[in-house]
């Protein structure tokens, strides 16, 4: 049997006019897998272009940035890229800290380690949380530029977090909660404290902040939002530090258990009150759990299920999150809840009037698309092709723009050509 030439495919054939053209046949397993790969790739490209924050590229960008800076000469413009860079440049060039020893006719300059500057400023009573933040950031930059294989290990070996923690305690700063309002300082301190195994000290900050929760009950509007950020901020930053996926892939176990421990401190609160506290870090952790993280090790069953049990107090509409997390269970994945959820969304969207103006994609849309892609992929692996085709048809019908118009046209063309070839083979022309 020979394959038809390109011109034969499109040559007018009167015999075809006598045939009744049926709808395309269901895709075979290979075609279904190709279709899923196309939808997944297209969706991720669209997501990257519209919402780059959904993808965790901070560590990669930081590494590329510092690598490029190392390959060129240092200049004044290098130190003026960010406020932190400008502040550290002023510290490093301050005559007070430019220590040197004269030896004969030569000048031997002492270490410019940011933590040496920190210690000198502490000894002179000049240190603030803002300056400490700059020193910690500069030290982290040094670690990233160094030859260490794991940034977190480098931060642990530096001992910088412990140095700053001792200053906070000895200076009396840690006795109050005012320093917790410096979000940038607390963020980088949490990173160092997690790396150095100082979580118990971090929990003192978290509990001290949660004790002020009662003041939220008398606030509303923007005042409530601002106060909630202050109360929940330390817990959120601790969860983020535990979940950080640096150069070495990190399991989410520690982050899950952090949420469980926090929930244990809130036993006397109502469900709505717990939602106000656990909602922000919980939503962050849900996104970290469901967004594509191929390099992250799977969590343990116990840690994952401890987090799964908190979904009702994290979200007021837990069905979607239950469905997605059940699908991604590390030992007992189950697509049934995901299929039920997708079918309910499909039914609701089908009831909407046609011709309604399309609205910009929301985070809910992105989550539904990711859920659909993950569900279709799981069903294909399990050879449940009919249900996989159903899910992909749901995605093509309701989210064509988010999946990419160009790719959708290529998909339809590929399906049409495949149908033509199959028809020719039936006629014995192929």
């Amino acid at each position: 049997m020979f394959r038809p030439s390109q011109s034969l495919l499109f040559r007018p054939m009167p015999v075809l006019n006598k045939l009744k053209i049926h709808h395309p046949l269901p895709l075979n397993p290979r075609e279904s897998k190709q279709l899923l790969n196309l939808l997944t790739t297209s969706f991720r490209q669209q997501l990257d272009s519209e919402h780059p924050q959904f993808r965790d590229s901070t560590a990669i960008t930081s590494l590329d940035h510092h690598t490029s800076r190392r390959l060129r000469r240092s200049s004044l413009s290098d130190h003026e890229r960010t406020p932190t860079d400008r502040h550290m440049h002023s510290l490093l060039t301050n005559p007070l800290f430019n220590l040197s020893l004269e030896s004969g006719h030569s000048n031997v300059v002492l270490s410019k380690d940011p933590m040496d500057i920190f210690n000198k400023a502490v000894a002179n009573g000049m240190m603030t949380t803002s300056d400490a933040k700059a020193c910690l950031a500069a030290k982290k930059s040094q670690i990233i530029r160094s030859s260490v294989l794991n940034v977190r290990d480098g931060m642990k070996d530096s001992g910088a977090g412990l140095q700053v923690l001792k200053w906070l305690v000895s200076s009396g700063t840690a006795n109050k909660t005012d320093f917790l309002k410096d979000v940038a300082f607390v963020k980088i301190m949490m990173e160092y404290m997690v790396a150095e195994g100082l979580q118990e000290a971090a929990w003192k900050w978290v509990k001290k902040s949660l004790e002020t929760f009662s003041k939220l009950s008398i606030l509303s509007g923007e005042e409530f939002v601002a106060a909630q950020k202050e109360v929940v901020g330390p817990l959120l930053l601790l969860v983020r530090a535990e979940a950080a996926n640096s150069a070495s892939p990190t399991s989410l176990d520690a982050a899950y258990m952090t949420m469980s421990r926090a929930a244990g401190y809130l036993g006397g609160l109502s469900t709505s009150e717990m939602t106000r506290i656990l909602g922000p870090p919980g939503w962050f952790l849900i996104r970290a759990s469901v967004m594509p993280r191929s390099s992250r090790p799977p969590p343990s069953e116990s840690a994952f299920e401890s987090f799964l049990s908190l979904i009702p107090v994290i979200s007021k509409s837990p069905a979607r999150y239950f469905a997605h997390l059940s699908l991604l269970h590390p030992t007992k994945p189950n697509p049934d809840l995901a299929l039920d959820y997708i079918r309910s969304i499909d039914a609701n969207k089908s009831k909407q009037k046609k011709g309604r103006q399309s609205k910009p994609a929301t985070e809910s849309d992105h989550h539904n698309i990711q859920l659909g892609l993950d569900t279709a992929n799981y069903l294909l692996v399990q050879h449940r092709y009919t249900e996989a085709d159903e899910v992909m048809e749901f995605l093509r019908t309701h989210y064509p723009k988010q999946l990419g118009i160009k790719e959708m046209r290529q998909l339809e063309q590929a399906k049409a050509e495949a149908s033509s070839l199959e028809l020719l083979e039936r006629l014995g022309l192929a």
Side-chain angles (χ1 to χ4, degrees):
M1 180 179 293
F2 62 89
R3 305 303 300 176
S5 65
Q6 188 68 17
S7 59
L8 179 58
L9 286 175
F10 301 99
R11 183 181 302 167
M13 293 187 291
V15 67
L16 293 180
N17 297 329
K18 302 178 181 180
L19 298 176
K20 182 179 181 181
I21 304 300
H22 297 279
H23 292 291
L25 296 175
L27 301 178
N28 61 38
R30 182 180 62 83
E31 293 171 336
S32 295
K33 187 63 179 177
Q34 291 175 343
L35 173 58
L36 176 62
N37 290 337
L38 177 61
L39 294 176
T40 302
T41 301
S42 178
F43 172 56
R44 290 178 181 172
Q45 290 174 348
Q46 291 291 115
L47 199 61
D48 282 339
S49 64
E50 296 180 11
H51 300 278
Q53 70 271 21
F54 280 87
R55 307 301 297 276
D56 187 16
S57 59
T58 305
I60 299 175
T61 304
S62 179
L63 285 171
D64 292 343
H65 171 69
H66 291 298
T67 300
S68 64
R69 288 186 62 183
R70 183 170 53 180
L71 295 177
R72 68 177 191 273
R73 277 188 166 182
S74 175
S75 65
L76 182 60
S77 61
D78 289 334
H79 301 296
E80 294 181 347
R81 290 184 176 274
T82 66
T84 297
D85 290 334
R86 291 195 297 270
H87 185 71
M88 281 310 303
H89 181 255
S90 67
L91 285 175
L92 293 173
T93 56
N94 192 316
L96 178 63
F97 302 141
N98 189 17
L99 307 179
S100 64
L101 295 176
E102 293 188 1
S103 177
H105 298 290
S106 64
N107 261 358
V108 181
V109 180
L110 297 182
S111 172
K112 285 293 183 68
D113 188 317
M115 299 317 295
D116 289 342
I117 297 174
F118 170 84
N119 291 330
K120 182 65 176 180
V122 169
N124 286 276
M126 300 172 56
M127 184 51 58
T128 64
T129 56
S130 179
D131 293 337
K133 170 191 62 182
C135 290
L136 290 173
K139 185 63 179 179
K140 184 178 180 181
S141 296
Q142 283 188 347
I143 294 169
I144 293 174
R145 293 195 302 267
S146 70
S147 59
V148 297
L149 299 178
N150 187 304
V151 175
R152 180 175 283 188
D153 289 343
M155 295 171 71
K156 175 182 178 181
D157 295 338
S158 73
L162 181 59
Q163 286 180 260
V164 176
L165 180 60
K166 288 181 176 179
W167 165 69
L168 288 171
V169 175
S170 62
S171 65
T173 304
N175 295 335
K176 301 179 181 180
T177 60
D178 292 343
F179 76 98
L180 296 176
K181 296 179 182 179
D182 189 341
V183 177
F185 167 72
V186 177
K187 178 179 182 297
I188 196 167
M189 265 300 289
M190 288 295 188
E191 294 175 7
Y192 276 95
M193 293 168 81
V194 167
E196 297 178 38
L198 302 173
Q199 285 92 333
E200 290 307 313
W203 273 109
K204 291 182 180 179
W205 299 0
V206 171
K207 290 190 286 186
K208 188 176 294 187
S209 181
L210 293 180
E211 289 173 356
T212 64
F213 172 76
S214 58
K215 70 179 183 181
L216 295 181
S217 60
I218 61 175
L219 301 177
S220 62
E222 294 181 359
E223 291 183 343
F224 170 83
V225 174
Q228 183 188 34
K229 288 182 179 179
E230 289 185 10
V231 172
V232 183
L235 174 60
L236 172 60
L237 295 175
L238 177 57
V239 170
R240 294 184 61 162
E242 292 284 14
N245 202 20
S246 56
S248 179
T250 306
S251 167
L252 289 175
D253 276 4
Y256 289 149
M257 297 312 297
T258 298
M259 286 292 295
S260 295
R261 180 171 176 177
Y265 294 134
L266 308 177
L269 300 181
S270 65
T271 300
S272 61
E273 291 173 328
M274 291 183 68
T275 301
R276 292 177 178 179
I277 294 176
L278 298 181
W283 295 328
F284 162 80
L285 201 47
I286 287 173
R287 287 193 293 271
S289 301
V290 303
M291 294 305 288
R293 302 290 181 124
S294 58
S295 63
R296 194 187 288 277
S300 66
E301 181 178 1
S302 58
F304 184 87
E305 291 186 348
S306 72
F307 179 64
L308 194 61
S309 67
L310 296 176
I311 297 301
V313 295
I314 290 175
S315 172
K316 296 179 180 179
S317 303
R320 178 199 304 155
Y321 305 122
F322 265 129
H324 209 155
L325 292 173
S326 296
L327 179 69
L328 302 177
H329 194 286
T331 59
K332 298 177 291 186
N334 189 332
D336 293 341
L337 290 178
L339 281 170
D340 290 343
Y341 179 78
I342 288 172
R343 286 164 179 163
S344 67
I345 294 296
D346 188 28
N348 290 335
K349 286 183 174 293
S350 298
K351 292 178 181 179
Q352 296 177 357
K353 294 181 179 180
K354 295 183 179 180
R356 179 178 296 180
Q357 290 185 349
S358 60
K359 298 180 180 179
T362 64
E363 183 174 352
S364 178
D365 292 330
H366 291 139
H367 196 129
N368 289 341
I369 294 171
Q370 189 62 53
L371 173 60
L373 294 172
D374 289 342
T375 303
N377 182 66
Y378 177 85
L379 293 171
L380 287 174
V381 172
Q382 298 299 316
H383 308 295
R384 296 167 63 170
Y385 302 116
T386 301
E387 292 167 312
D389 289 343
E390 176 188 355
V391 173
M392 286 188 285
E393 183 62 30
F394 161 78
L395 293 174
R396 292 196 300 266
T397 301
H398 300 297
Y399 302 105
K401 182 177 181 180
Q402 291 84 351
L403 293 170
I405 298 298
K406 180 179 180 181
E407 289 77 3
M408 294 302 299
R409 289 176 179 172
Q410 292 175 346
L411 175 62
E412 295 300 328
Q413 181 180 357
K415 289 177 64 179
E417 292 177 356
S419 298
S420 298
L421 286 173
E422 186 174 0
L423 181 60
L424 290 173
E425 288 178 352
R426 289 186 176 185
L427 293 174
L429 300 178

